Amino acid sequence: MSTAAHSPAEPTPSHPHLAVRDGGTVTDRLVESNRKYAEAFEDPGMDARPVLQVAVVACMDARLDLYGALGLELGDCHTIRNAGGVVTDDVIRSLTISQRALGTRSVVLIHHTSCGMESLTEDFRTELEEEVGQRPAWAVESFRDADQDVRQSMQRVRTSPFLLHTDDVRGFVFDVRAGLLREIDPVGRNPEG
């Protein structure tokens, strides 16, 4: 079975808030939720500059509630999410805009345990090419060791010529079972040694 041809799981009875009614789609459900949200919405009166001057780069995994896990509120930070939380060219683009146009100074990188990127390989691109007849221009950026990939991501941020602020770049692995962050030493030293 090809890993490229995944279909999203149907909402389960254990998630009744996701139930799709009357033959609608999940997007219909989200739009309806937005209508309810907008009824009570009040303009928070803030601009796009994050109050804490921080950008958080994290995996797109649905188990990561960044605001809850980090004690953040609306307006505190920029969040940049992708598969794996990997620092790619597009992440550098977003961080550059975040720093140069919107005043952020700190970067927090968050990978997590049990990440799906640990089970993919560049073969994923080959499978896509075989399926659709065109090879993706992007790399999968899979990894086997989350700690090492956090180190690589920190290095990519710290060495980017486009970023103004690279002195406060820290990386973490979030434990999806315990809810705790574990900080990663950028040079791979054992913190107890």
Side-chain angles (χ1 to χ4, degrees):
M1 179 165 101
S2 170
T3 57
H6 286 124
S7 62
E10 292 298 317
T12 64
S14 64
H15 294 91
H17 66 284
L18 296 178
V20 178
R21 295 174 186 87
D22 302 323
T25 66
V26 172
T27 303
D28 293 333
R29 175 74 175 110
L30 298 177
V31 170
E32 180 58 31
S33 292
N34 174 255
R35 284 189 192 109
K36 292 175 185 173
Y37 170 80
E39 289 172 5
F41 182 79
E42 293 182 23
D43 182 354
M46 57 180 74
D47 67 16
R49 293 176 175 273
V51 173
L52 299 179
Q53 297 182 319
V54 62
V56 178
V57 178
C59 185
M60 66 186 190
D61 192 292
R63 296 171 291 180
L64 272 65
D65 173 7
L66 294 177
Y67 279 77
L70 301 175
L72 296 168
E73 295 182 16
L74 182 67
D76 281 348
C77 73
H78 284 156
T79 53
I80 304 161
R81 297 183 76 157
N82 69 17
V86 177
V87 174
T88 60
D89 286 345
D90 195 57
V91 169
I92 293 294
R93 169 190 166 270
S94 293
L95 288 173
T96 301
I97 293 167
S98 178
Q99 287 190 359
R100 291 181 176 264
L102 297 165
T104 60
R105 303 183 63 83
S106 300
V107 179
V108 174
L109 306 171
I110 302 177
H111 284 31
H112 64 90
T113 58
S114 303
C115 185
M117 295 302 288
E118 294 172 330
S119 63
L120 287 177
T121 67
E122 287 299 316
D123 290 341
F124 184 77
R125 292 173 71 215
T126 303
E127 292 170 7
L128 285 172
E129 181 180 21
E130 290 169 358
E131 181 182 326
V132 303
Q134 181 178 341
R135 188 169 185 83
W138 38 264
V140 174
E141 294 275 357
S142 61
F143 50 86
R144 296 278 180 249
D145 181 340
D147 290 20
Q148 183 55 34
D149 201 72
V150 170
R151 286 186 198 96
Q152 177 177 290
S153 290
M154 283 191 279
Q155 184 66 15
R156 286 178 177 176
V157 170
R158 288 186 171 136
T159 59
S160 173
F162 307 111
L163 298 175
L164 295 172
H165 307 288
T166 58
D167 54 326
D168 187 13
V169 178
R170 293 172 65 183
F172 302 85
V173 173
F174 178 82
D175 186 321
V176 297
R177 302 273 183 251
L180 289 172
L181 290 175
R182 179 173 49 82
E183 187 156 8
I184 303 303
D185 185 300
V187 292
R189 291 187 296 257
N190 181 344
E192 289 133 22

